[in-house]
Amino acid sequence: MENPKVTMLTGATPSLLNNSMPDLALRHSQNPILSPSQVQPSRPDMKVECLLNPGVFYFDGLVWLVVRVAERPVQEEGKLSFPVLKNDSVEILSFELADPLLDTTDPREPRYEGETFLSTLSHLRLFRSGDGVHFEDAGLPILHGKGELESYGIEDCRVATMNDGTYLLTYTATSSKGYGVGLRKTSNWKDFEEMGMILPPANKDCAIFESKVNDKYYCFHRPSGVGLGGNFIWLASSPDLQHWGNHICLAETRKEMWDSNRIGAGAAPIMTKEGWLAIYHGADFENRYCLGALLLDKQNPANVIARSEKPLMQPLEDYEQKGFFGNVVFTNGHLRQDDEITLYYGASDTVIGSAKFSITEILKTL
Amino acid sequence: MENPKVTMLTGATPSLLNNSMPDLALRHSQNPILSPSQVQPSRPDMKVECLLNPGVFYFDGLVWLVVRVAERPVQEEGKLSFPVLKNDSVEILSFELADPLLDTTDPREPRYEGETFLSTLSHLRLFRSGDGVHFEDAGLPILHGKGELESYGIEDCRVATMNDGTYLLTYTATSSKGYGVGLRKTSNWKDFEEMGMILPPANKDCAIFESKVNDKYYCFHRPSGVGLGGNFIWLASSPDLQHWGNHICLAETRKEMWDSNRIGAGAAPIMTKEGWLAIYHGADFENRYCLGALLLDKQNPANVIARSEKPLMQPLEDYEQKGFFGNVVFTNGHLRQDDEITLYYGASDTVIGSAKFSITEILKTL
């Protein structure tokens, strides 16, 4: 594809970045760069609760974010209301809090008559920026869940920018049938080809590599086990992006470390002279989410060359420690220019931040 | 492929079948047809605990079963020993029962230092028969787990007999990384092509259709959810058998019915004049496993035309009610001749039985 004509990366000068923190991330001093109050709800009877985990790409000379917007109906006293999609339209279910069939033990996943719902409904919204810091709603149609496998919404979109000018969106498709990975393809961000669910439940955190390796497509994904297994990062390959096989377990959680409980991929890995550099999230049993890195063999990404002992980034700032779900830095989108990675991330499942990393500095820690 | 030259189906005359039971299954009067005492352990220090859930196929003029054989080390007083595969060889781990790091709360899945193991190690063994009732060990090499995704063994093999003379084996690959679906291909039952893990954890009960529909391969599978979702039957399609996509949820569990807790496919579905007939297992919350049927559209197997209200087969005989895990009839293999299905099934996770069904009779119930 043609080279992006983006000037933003010179826009963020070092004086605007905050490097007082004891990790490798140079956070932008204007963080959070996007907050729920800046975003219009999709309907007047809904409220934007959280912004989460954007995918990132260059398009039309600008930097774009595809942000997960989680909305909740405006609540009435004594009731619990949550939204679902029926025939691709929002329907608001409302129950008396006193109803004995309603179970709100986990406020994020209310249950009614034994069926599990989500308290918020997520869609994907496009924002654009000339400088990579100041974003505006692009005014393009919202990306909603479609069909019965997305009736609880779509979440955490990774965007792979392919050499042929197409963009691949992998996202978490949620419904009463479970959460799996959906795929849509676009080249203009107006028309989307729906390519179905590419990984069945329970699966999320899928990032497609932006180029083939040995004539095959690759992706990271994160199946979740029942009984045996855990929340590990897996690798799969595909001849056509729509059908996947040769699943192997790439990396597991590590006992008594910062990534002891669950791990999952960030965005597509970055080709460096040492190999594929993949930034991933890891959480411990206190659900503190940090970021680390994996270095994978160029010719065989199933071969892990190195892995971060310490996190590259931790929830240290106030907005990373407090929010809808505190103590979280979580990324599924970044831009790369020469040695510099500009990472966008969800902080405390509430706001969006930006931080820069030096690839050389990351590689030195591996 | 050439027509099988099998005579067995005339061998089981009605007088040898037992139809006194109040379900549609005509059980063979010589059931169980295969029991652990008839099977040699793979090593002198192992004991065959259970025979389970065979795949079935015609080959070389005979009826063949590929039986899951679950073995356990001969136990020593005061110790718990269980086998794992390391570098594709059996290694026996042995722990003092008094060891506080050992957790035997679930005797089938002992835990040590927080890691989950299986108390038995399963392999696949080939048996053959001229009459479909009296089986002998074929004396062919045992099919063992291979590689780190099968280090806890391989289980419950479905065999799809393809038109080109090849056989596709889909089985549960178990390891500390979880349980997923492995695929091997053979045409002579001596040489096997390993086609990798086709469905990542947590997934099992995968049966590949024996012919293409609209130029695509199809399979049933059974992902298991965490949180949202459940133990439902899904459908996927593939251009090449090795890579799968377009996952959809075909059938869910049904509240307060015999299949309320979990369902999963049996073997490949059977083409009838009404559509694809699929026999599946369903269990309730007391873990009582029965068999039922789904009828799927010929041209679009994602379209469910009908489903059994009542089980076609229930655990009614003594050997179906008592054993390693009682109250189970579970199938992943059958033969079809005209209107007759000869089904092979695991009973109480211990022995193998055989039963006949009339396709016409099944269709009448749907």
Short mmCIF file of all heavy atoms in Angstrom, two decimals, chain A residues 300-320:
data_model
loop_
_atom_site.label_atom_id
_atom_site.label_comp_id
_atom_site.label_asym_id
_atom_site.label_seq_id
_atom_site.Cartn_x
_atom_site.Cartn_y
_atom_site.Cartn_z
N ASN A 300 10.06 -18.47 12.02
CA ASN A 300 9.14 -19.39 12.68
C ASN A 300 8.63 -18.76 13.96
O ASN A 300 9.18 -18.95 15.04
CB ASN A 300 9.84 -20.72 12.99
CG ASN A 300 8.91 -21.67 13.73
OD1 ASN A 300 7.69 -21.44 13.79
ND2 ASN A 300 9.47 -22.72 14.30
N PRO A 301 7.53 -18.00 13.86
CA PRO A 301 7.04 -17.28 15.04
C PRO A 301 6.57 -18.19 16.17
O PRO A 301 6.28 -17.71 17.26
CB PRO A 301 5.89 -16.43 14.48
CG PRO A 301 5.58 -16.97 13.14
CD PRO A 301 6.78 -17.69 12.64
N ALA A 302 6.50 -19.50 15.94
CA ALA A 302 6.18 -20.42 17.04
C ALA A 302 7.35 -20.54 18.01
O ALA A 302 7.19 -21.04 19.13
CB ALA A 302 5.84 -21.80 16.48
N ASN A 303 8.51 -20.06 17.60
CA ASN A 303 9.72 -20.17 18.42
C ASN A 303 9.93 -18.88 19.21
O ASN A 303 10.23 -17.84 18.64
CB ASN A 303 10.91 -20.45 17.48
CG ASN A 303 12.21 -20.57 18.22
OD1 ASN A 303 12.23 -20.71 19.45
ND2 ASN A 303 13.30 -20.49 17.49
N VAL A 304 9.75 -18.97 20.54
CA VAL A 304 9.90 -17.79 21.41
C VAL A 304 11.37 -17.64 21.77
O VAL A 304 11.96 -18.52 22.40
CB VAL A 304 9.06 -17.93 22.69
CG1 VAL A 304 9.27 -16.72 23.60
CG2 VAL A 304 7.58 -18.09 22.34
N ILE A 305 11.96 -16.52 21.36
CA ILE A 305 13.39 -16.27 21.62
C ILE A 305 13.58 -15.66 23.00
O ILE A 305 14.51 -15.99 23.72
CB ILE A 305 13.96 -15.32 20.54
CG1 ILE A 305 13.84 -15.95 19.15
CG2 ILE A 305 15.41 -14.96 20.84
CD1 ILE A 305 14.11 -14.98 18.01
N ALA A 306 12.68 -14.77 23.38
CA ALA A 306 12.86 -14.09 24.68
C ALA A 306 11.51 -13.56 25.15
O ALA A 306 10.57 -13.40 24.36
CB ALA A 306 13.86 -12.94 24.53
N ARG A 307 11.46 -13.26 26.45
CA ARG A 307 10.22 -12.76 27.06
C ARG A 307 10.58 -11.86 28.23
O ARG A 307 11.53 -12.14 28.97
CB ARG A 307 9.41 -13.96 27.54
CG ARG A 307 8.10 -13.59 28.21
CD ARG A 307 7.27 -14.84 28.44
NE ARG A 307 6.06 -14.58 29.18
CZ ARG A 307 5.19 -15.50 29.56
NH1 ARG A 307 5.41 -16.78 29.26
NH2 ARG A 307 4.10 -15.17 30.22
N SER A 308 9.82 -10.81 28.39
CA SER A 308 10.08 -9.84 29.47
C SER A 308 10.02 -10.51 30.84
O SER A 308 9.06 -11.21 31.16
CB SER A 308 9.02 -8.74 29.47
OG SER A 308 9.04 -8.00 28.30
N GLU A 309 11.05 -10.27 31.63
CA GLU A 309 10.97 -10.68 33.03
C GLU A 309 10.13 -9.70 33.82
O GLU A 309 9.29 -10.08 34.62
CB GLU A 309 12.38 -10.77 33.63
CG GLU A 309 13.21 -11.92 33.10
CD GLU A 309 12.63 -13.28 33.48
OE1 GLU A 309 12.28 -13.49 34.66
OE2 GLU A 309 12.50 -14.14 32.57
N LYS A 310 10.39 -8.41 33.58
CA LYS A 310 9.63 -7.35 34.25
C LYS A 310 8.67 -6.70 33.25
O LYS A 310 8.93 -6.71 32.05
CB LYS A 310 10.58 -6.27 34.77
CG LYS A 310 11.45 -6.72 35.90
CD LYS A 310 12.31 -5.55 36.37
CE LYS A 310 13.31 -6.01 37.42
NZ LYS A 310 14.29 -4.95 37.72
N PRO A 311 7.60 -6.10 33.73
CA PRO A 311 6.71 -5.42 32.80
C PRO A 311 7.40 -4.25 32.12
O PRO A 311 8.25 -3.57 32.71
CB PRO A 311 5.58 -4.89 33.70
CG PRO A 311 5.70 -5.62 34.98
CD PRO A 311 7.14 -6.02 35.13
N LEU A 312 7.02 -4.00 30.86
CA LEU A 312 7.44 -2.80 30.15
C LEU A 312 6.65 -1.60 30.64
O LEU A 312 7.10 -0.45 30.57
CB LEU A 312 7.17 -2.93 28.65
CG LEU A 312 7.85 -4.06 27.90
CD1 LEU A 312 7.40 -4.03 26.44
CD2 LEU A 312 9.36 -3.91 28.00
N MET A 313 5.45 -1.87 31.09
CA MET A 313 4.55 -0.80 31.51
C MET A 313 3.62 -1.35 32.58
O MET A 313 3.15 -2.48 32.48
CB MET A 313 3.74 -0.30 30.31
CG MET A 313 2.87 0.91 30.61
SD MET A 313 2.07 1.49 29.10
CE MET A 313 1.31 3.00 29.71
N GLN A 314 3.41 -0.53 33.61
CA GLN A 314 2.56 -0.93 34.72
C GLN A 314 1.54 0.16 34.98
O GLN A 314 1.76 1.31 34.62
CB GLN A 314 3.40 -1.11 35.99
CG GLN A 314 4.59 -2.03 35.85
CD GLN A 314 5.35 -2.15 37.17
OE1 GLN A 314 4.75 -2.37 38.21
NE2 GLN A 314 6.66 -1.98 37.11
N PRO A 315 0.44 -0.17 35.64
CA PRO A 315 -0.52 0.90 35.99
C PRO A 315 0.03 1.73 37.16
O PRO A 315 -0.01 1.29 38.30
CB PRO A 315 -1.79 0.13 36.38
CG PRO A 315 -1.35 -1.26 36.70
CD PRO A 315 -0.05 -1.51 35.99
N LEU A 316 0.57 2.89 36.82
CA LEU A 316 1.24 3.72 37.82
C LEU A 316 0.56 5.06 38.00
O LEU A 316 0.51 5.59 39.11
CB LEU A 316 2.70 3.94 37.40
CG LEU A 316 3.56 2.66 37.31
CD1 LEU A 316 4.93 2.98 36.71
CD2 LEU A 316 3.72 2.00 38.67
N GLU A 317 0.05 5.62 36.91
CA GLU A 317 -0.62 6.92 37.00
C GLU A 317 -1.99 6.75 37.66
O GLU A 317 -2.58 5.67 37.63
CB GLU A 317 -0.79 7.51 35.59
CG GLU A 317 0.50 7.89 34.90
CD GLU A 317 1.01 9.28 35.30
OE1 GLU A 317 0.48 9.87 36.27
OE2 GLU A 317 1.94 9.77 34.63
N ASP A 318 -2.50 7.85 38.17
CA ASP A 318 -3.80 7.82 38.83
C ASP A 318 -4.89 7.26 37.91
O ASP A 318 -5.69 6.41 38.31
CB ASP A 318 -4.14 9.24 39.27
CG ASP A 318 -5.31 9.26 40.24
OD1 ASP A 318 -5.18 8.65 41.32
OD2 ASP A 318 -6.35 9.83 39.90
N TYR A 319 -4.91 7.73 36.64
CA TYR A 319 -5.96 7.27 35.72
C TYR A 319 -5.77 5.81 35.29
O TYR A 319 -6.67 5.21 34.70
CB TYR A 319 -6.05 8.19 34.47
CG TYR A 319 -4.74 8.31 33.71
CD1 TYR A 319 -4.42 7.42 32.70
CD2 TYR A 319 -3.83 9.32 34.01
CE1 TYR A 319 -3.21 7.52 32.01
CE2 TYR A 319 -2.62 9.43 33.33
CZ TYR A 319 -2.32 8.53 32.33
OH TYR A 319 -1.13 8.62 31.66
N GLU A 320 -4.60 5.26 35.58
CA GLU A 320 -4.36 3.84 35.30
C GLU A 320 -4.73 2.96 36.50
O GLU A 320 -4.85 1.74 36.38
CB GLU A 320 -2.89 3.61 34.93
CG GLU A 320 -2.50 4.29 33.62
CD GLU A 320 -0.99 4.40 33.41
OE1 GLU A 320 -0.22 4.16 34.38
OE2 GLU A 320 -0.57 4.75 32.30
#
